[in-house]
Structures are given as structure tokens and as C-alpha cells.
Amino acid sequence: MVREGLPGAGRARRWIAGATSALVAAGSLALLGPAGAWAADPASLLVSYDFSEVGGTVVHDQSGGGRDGTVVGGEAWRGGFMQFTGSNHVKLPDGLLAGRSAATVVIETSPTALSGAKFLWNIGGSSTSSSGTGQFFIQPVAPRVAITKTNWSGEQSVTSPTTLAQGKWQSVAATIAKNADGTTSTLRLFIDGVQVAEKANSTVNLSDLTTHTMNLIGKSAYAADTLYQGGVSAFRVYSEALTAADLTTIAATDAAASASETVAALDLAAVNEQDLSKVETDLVLPTAGGVTWTSSPAGIVGADGTVTQPASDTGVVLTATSTVRGETASKDFAVTVLRAPTADEAAQRDVDAIVLAHADDVRSALALPSTGSRFGSELTWSSSAPAVVDVEGTATVAPGAVTRPAAGDARVVLTVTATKNGVTATRDIPLTVRKAVELAETTDYLFAHFTGTEGAASDEQIYFATSRDAATFTDTRAAGNPVLSLAKTQGDGGVRDPFVVRSPEGDRFYLIATDLSIYYRGGWGSANATVTGSKDLVIWESTDLVNWTEPRFADVASGIPNAGMAWAPEAVWDDETQQYYVFWATRADGNTELGDSVDMYLSTTRDFRTFSTPVKWIDRQGSIIDTTVIKVGDWFYRASGDGQITIERSKKLDAVTTSATAKTTGTDQEWVLVGTLQSILNGSGTCAGGSNYTGACLEGPEFFAYNDDDRGAAAELYGLLADQYGTGRGYLPFRTTDLNSTSASVWSKATNVNLGTLKKRHGGIMPITAQEYQRVMFHYAGVGTNPDLSVEAAATTKCVAGKVALVASVKNADTRAADVTVQTGYGTKTFTAVQPGKTVSQAFSTRLASIDAGFVGVSAAGTGATFTGSTEYEARAC
């Protein structure tokens, strides 16, 4: 069966057309190696896909048989190949090999992740752990070809000692044909046209497969397996077992096409944030698919993208060359690298690049960088009001600590100086530091959660519930109407595991959450979410719990080698170091010391924009996830899901734990086991019975403290929620008067808690004030009255007889009458019963010829509502 041609002449013609388009678009594309072409397609060709589509969900069959495939889960065309992202796959026509006794399946692929249980392709039916309807398939991780009449228990298979390589194009082929005895078959596996494995006595034949409705590329016959990840540029199915010579020739032809398609798909502008005509920093140069880089002139852009700025602006031609099994293709990119800045330019650009979060609304400690973000200048700081904004720091507190003034809002100017090679540049950054506030007593609760059913996009979004006593919760919105959400085009399109943290001053809130949509990923069986999940946290901010910023995404996990996701984040403020500690779970294969790759990581931040390099905080023999922390006195307590719901305590929050299980002894500077819910409450039985408290039944533990008015006779009372994921019932509440106790008489399952209509999945409960409760219920549930008055204020200065006069005016823009007080450094005035729509004014004599810019404080009180704010006035000299 030796032929002089290769199947797929249509592919060669399509590739030439695609290459021409790329040539026009990129300016230069060259095929450096020979490309073969088949003289004729063999009659046994059933399906031929070349993945040259540029859009849509149809994979067109080039064989002439009209057997088109369908992309499921999101197309990802790359101009000659398709990227299998771990969330998508291709559905082949039913009955493709029905009634056949022999076949060849050839796929040209460049894997991007080779771990876990997955199929490269499947022909036949489906399977479960206990039954199945039979499949013919390849598993790519430890490459093997197999066939079974049922499921795994009946497999006839052979495994290759040669493994596949990530980021490299390879031709992978499997053949099957009945032997001369008519009862057995021979299975063969080929990589790059070379036979690597053979089973000559398979007792299962292709004709034994009776179900042919689950023919797939990139998806397993088992629903729980992950989807394949990698590029695919060709896929063919034949109704005969091709020879090794045929498969060698196919591999050579596909190599030339893959090399060309790889470089044609490169888009430097898409992977680099900086303008390629004004390059100043290192470039990202993609290498997947066997791509290497050279540049001319040499010495400016390295093969790894490192940029050395020249003495003058210089045009550089970057050449990407893809080499696939000896076949090469190249593509040129023209960039301009700007000259190296002088020392004073570098210093100035470093100070100009500084952005301080909320500079016009400072309420808490600031993150002050010490190194320039662009050119590495040394940054030093000075403050016009060191008592308000400290820029010196201490042994435990980094520079940037803020002490809010008691008298009113303050204007503070920070001066930053950048030093580069002995040259300096400075910049003044004005700040508005808000007046200190005293948080009212917390009497109520806010519960942020998601519903978790994953049957619709709205299930994996943020919902709020409230409670007056932590016993009865009221949903503020109905199912399908979240208070905060992501669009499909934002991040992963869904958000889970929300946690709300209040700033130490009390009047700023951060809601942090997992960027993940199992719904959009096609369900847990297709999600591959721990390997291809987002490494970002989703973050919203608010100063009142109802007006939230747009969501932003903070990449906290990309710096972790082999990180696959960042899940279930929480944060806690530490008074001693004046910063937040943020922690989350990341799977990082190969980055663990004790078995399982899912560990807890820890980072610090002051603004939820700049995060320190993450450290591995908890490493267990098994996976550990969903850690929650609460501080009681000098002690921190944490509960985690690690096969149990394990409770530990320490006086040192950031102490690193590396042990197979929680340590049972240690100092107060280490995390030491208190107990597990199962051991404390003497749990037993099944998940359905409701008294098994192990990690097999419960996950997502969440601590919270009860308010004073809800503790009854107890001096202290704490809640711990755990998600009954094993039975799908949502949260199960527990209570204790002593987190350090291991007595069942101190701990109890709370049986009198009504969590509301919506299922509560992994979230967090935060104590709130009565006014905050009223505000949330009014804005989200439409219940009660608005606790916030609408007030508009303005202040101006003028000269009167050579002295500065300060004039403040306040408009009652509400529908309720209010008493209004205006407070300045030059006097205070109260107006009683200011009617809706009315404006009141007051002039204050400063008795000074000049004054600096400042603020006028404004407060108002009406029936069941208040307002507190300020308005700024400019400096004046008379």
C-alpha cells in the first residue's frame, strides 16, 4: 500500500492561501523547507480537517465526504490551527467508524499541558467508573492507544515508552486492524511517523464497538476527566490501517504546514503591552510550537526578549523561526527600540510612573514604592505632615502608615525623589487624608456568597443576605439577580467564594473573590479549572457597601511556578505591621514538598493593587484549601479544608507550616492544632446523616464573631460555617464560646439558624452597623428608608478689607428637612430644620491676609438619616 502522494492536497492548497494572507499582513513570511503534496487522496479517507477556519464553530471536512465537525465550548482559531484551551473540544459526526474493522487516526498537535486524566480523541461511546459503551482512544499524558467494549476494566491497550513534549508539534497516529485469525486485532501507536508501541493480540476489535455517538477531539469518554490542552493543526481518519511509510510521509507534510501556521499565527502586538514602535522594556517573544528568535542588528533584543536600549532610536527586525521535524518557516516583525534614557530622564520617568491608590481619598496606610517601576531608580519620600502620613517606617511597619486627623480632612503633600546614577528627579503628590471616624457599634450582619448551582451564569456571581441576629438571614435579591457580577467577557465570566474585609478605620471595604465560571467552562468534568484556571483575584471596593467600583483583576499567582489557579481568597488586617495578609489556594504541580499540589499561599498588601511575592503558607501531604482566619486577643485562629475541617492557632499569622498534617505541638509562634470538627463534635456516619463533619462532607469553612447584642450570657461567641458540598445542602452553621476548646459542650451545631431562601455557597459573614444594615436593605432589597441624606456643599474664599473670608454654602438636596452644621478652622455654624431644596450659607472671617487650601466639614441630620462629608477650598492671598 505504498503510494507516491500524501492525503490532503486540499490542506496544502489552503495552507498556501493562508500563508499568502499572513505575508501581506505581516510584511514578511518565508517557508524555508520543502512541503510535499499528495497526488491523490486514498479512497479510505473518511475525514480530513486542516483547522484553517478563521471563525465560527464548524470544522470543515476537506475529504469531500461532508463530515464536518463542531466546536463546543468556544472556538479559538489561530490561522491554520485551533487552540484546545482546556474548556473546548470538537464533536465529530456520529457513526464515523461504525461497522469498520480497520482504521487509522492521525492528529498533528502541540500539547500545552500534559497532566491529569484526559483523552486526545475518542471514537465510540461514553464511560463511567462502573460501566461503559466502548471506546477507541488515545491518552496523551503517558501516550497509549486503547480499545474497550465497555469501560476501563475491559481495555486492551499499549503504552509508548516515548512521551509527548509540551510546546512542540508532533504527529500522533494510531492504527487498528483485524489479524488473519479474524478474532484479534493489532493496535499500533506512532509518534512523528515512527512506531513506538504495538499490541498484536487485542481481544477487542473495532467492529465490537456498537455505540458511535461520542466521537470527539480533545474530550474524554469519562465526564470527570479534564479536556485536552494544546494546538491541533490536522486531524484525519481512514478506514484502513496505513503503513509506517504512509505515516512517515504524512508526518513530514504536516510538519511543513505546522511550521508555517505557527509563525503565521504569531501576533507580537497582542502579547506585548508596550507600543512596538516605541519599545523601552523587555519584550514577550512566544516560543510555543518550536519557535526561536533572532534579531538584526544584534545586541539590542535578545532571543529571550531582553531589551538593551541603544544610544539612539533603532529599528530592529525580529525573525521568528518555527522548526517542526526539520521543516522551517519564518516571519519578520519590525520594531523600534528607543534610545536609552539619560539618568535624569530615567529618574523623571520613574517618579512620573508612580500611582498612589486613592490619593484624593486616603483612609488607610499607603503603599509607597522604594524602587522605580520603569528604570529601577532608588525612591525616597518626604511628607509635609509626618504626623499624618509617616514616610520613615519602623522595624515592623513599612513607610506609608496613616494617622487620620481628628479635626477634619487634611491636605498632605508627599515628595518623592528618584535617584539614578547620582542624578535626581522629584515630584510632589498631593493627598487628601480624611478625618478620623469612630465606627459605630456593630449590631447586624452582611453575608456575601454565591449560590453555586452552576446551572446558569448568574449562579456564579455575588449575592448579599443580611441578618439582625445571625440566626435569621434575609436575601436582598432573588436568584438570578446578583448584586455584583462579571460579564462573560470579563475574566472567567463568573465569580465565586466572595469575602468582604473592612479596613481598620472602618469606612472602606474590599470584596475579593475567585475568578471562575464552571458554567461557562461546561461543568466540572470539562472545566480543568485547577490547571487552566485564572491566577487573578477579582476585587471590588466600596466606602458604603452599596456603591462599588468596577471589578478589577489582580494577578497574585503567576509568580508561583506551574500555578493553575487562585481560589477562595480571604484577607485579614494586621495592626502590628499595618498591612493586610491575603491568602488563597493554588495548585502548582512540582512546587510542593509534601505530595498534593494544592497548597495555601500568602501575600501582603495595603491597597489590593500591589501585592508582595507570594509565599507557600501551608503545605500538607494532601490538598489544603479554603482557609479562613479570625483574630481573638493575641491569637489568630484558622480553619482549613485538608481532608478534615482542621482548626489551628498561632500568635504569628504568617508562620509557614510544612507538615503532613497539622502539627500537634509547637510554640505560640507556630501554627498548632486545636482540633477538627469531626474530633471535637464526635462526628460519625454518612454525609446524608448530617453528623459527619469530615472533609468528605464539608468544605469552605468560614469564621465570624457574633456582635455583643447577640451573645446572650456568653462573654464571647463565634460562628463557623461549613459548606455541605457532599450533599449539596449549602452551609451548615456551628457555634462556640471558645475557639481553643475541644469540648463538645463548648462547641455545637447551630440548629436554629435560617440562612434564607437562596442556597449559600462559599462566602463570608461580616458584622455591620445598624446604619450599614439599613443602607444595604434600602438599596438592594428596597426595604425601609435611605439612611443617607443627600447634601451638596461648596466653599469659596474672597478678600474683604485685605483679609481672607471663607464662605461655605450647603444645599439640602434631600426630600427630608435636616439640621446642618458647617465646621471650619475659623468657626462653626449650625442651621436647624433646613428644608428640602433650600441652600444656607455662612461667611467666616479668618483675620489673615493669606491662607492655605483646606477643607470645610459638613454634617447633617434628619429623620432617620445623616450625612458627613467635606468640601475643599483653594488657597488665597489678599
Side-chain angles (χ1 to χ4, degrees), residues 84-339:
F84 285 69
T85 62
S87 298
N88 60 356
H89 66 278
V90 169
K91 175 71 171 67
L92 303 172
D94 293 346
L96 189 58
L97 289 175
R100 307 287 183 176
S101 61
T104 298
V105 180
V106 187
I107 187 169
E108 178 78 10
T109 184
S110 175
T112 58
L114 288 170
S115 63
K118 60 187 66 176
F119 283 16
L120 184 56
W121 48 261
N122 181 77
I123 292 179
S126 62
S127 268
T128 68
S129 60
S130 59
S131 64
T133 54
Q135 310 88 41
F136 176 40
F137 63 91
I138 283 181
Q139 281 188 328
V141 177
R144 70 184 182 99
V145 58
I147 189 168
T148 176
K149 297 179 185 179
T150 54
N151 66 345
W152 63 272
S153 62
E155 285 179 3
Q156 296 287 290
S157 71
V158 61
T159 300
S160 165
T162 302
T163 59
L164 299 179
Q166 292 185 191
K168 176 183 177 182
W169 287 104
Q170 290 137 104
S171 178
V172 184
T175 67
I176 186 170
K178 272 190 177 180
N179 296 324
D181 60 18
T183 59
T184 62
S185 288
T186 295
L187 292 168
R188 292 189 175 96
L189 182 62
F190 297 79
I191 297 178
D192 293 340
V194 177
Q195 182 175 307
V196 291
E198 178 184 81
K199 183 175 179 62
N201 59 348
S202 170
T203 57
V204 180
N205 305 304
L206 186 61
S207 57
D208 291 331
L209 300 186
T210 59
T211 301
H212 289 266
T213 57
M214 200 166 177
N215 299 331
L216 308 162
I217 307 174
K219 182 176 173 61
S220 170
Y222 294 83
D225 286 359
T226 58
L227 298 185
Y228 179 68
Q229 295 168 263
V232 173
S233 66
F235 182 83
R236 304 183 188 88
V237 179
Y238 303 85
S239 60
E240 61 179 322
L242 297 181
T243 67
D246 289 334
L247 295 173
T248 299
T249 310
I250 290 173
T253 294
D254 284 349
S258 294
S260 176
E261 292 161 354
T262 297
V263 293
L266 292 175
D267 186 347
L268 274 191
V271 297
N272 286 276
E273 294 184 0
Q274 61 181 317
D275 187 338
L276 296 183
S277 67
K278 300 176 182 178
V279 174
E280 293 184 281
T281 58
D282 293 349
L283 290 165
V284 176
L285 301 181
T287 59
V291 174
T292 57
W293 293 83
T294 57
S295 65
S296 179
I300 297 176
V301 181
D304 61 353
T306 302
V307 170
T308 302
Q309 289 182 267
S312 60
D313 295 355
T314 303
V316 177
V317 175
L318 302 177
T319 300
T321 300
S322 176
T323 303
V324 181
R325 302 191 290 279
E327 303 290 346
T328 59
S330 68
K331 180 179 178 180
D332 290 340
F333 297 87
V335 304
T336 299
V337 180
L338 301 185
R339 66 172 177 82

Side-chain angles (χ1 to χ4, degrees), residues 666-752:
T667 70
D668 62 6
Q669 299 297 297
E670 300 174 281
W671 286 98
V672 177
L673 177 69
V674 173
T676 69
L677 279 183
Q678 184 79 340
S679 66
I680 292 171
L681 294 172
N682 300 313
S684 63
T686 64
C687 297
S691 58
N692 184 321
Y693 310 125
T694 68
C697 303
L698 304 178
E699 67 176 5
E702 288 294 332
F703 276 133
F704 71 95
Y706 279 79
N707 295 314
D708 289 347
D709 61 341
D710 298 318
R711 293 174 182 165
E716 297 179 348
L717 186 62
Y718 304 97
L720 176 61
L721 302 176
D723 183 6
Q724 301 172 95
Y725 78 99
T727 55
R729 297 173 182 170
Y731 267 129
L732 179 66
F734 301 86
R735 293 193 187 107
T736 182
T737 56
D738 182 1
L739 287 171
N740 194 43
S741 173
T742 59
S743 171
S745 63
V746 176
W747 283 83
S748 65
K749 182 164 64 173
T751 58
N752 64 334

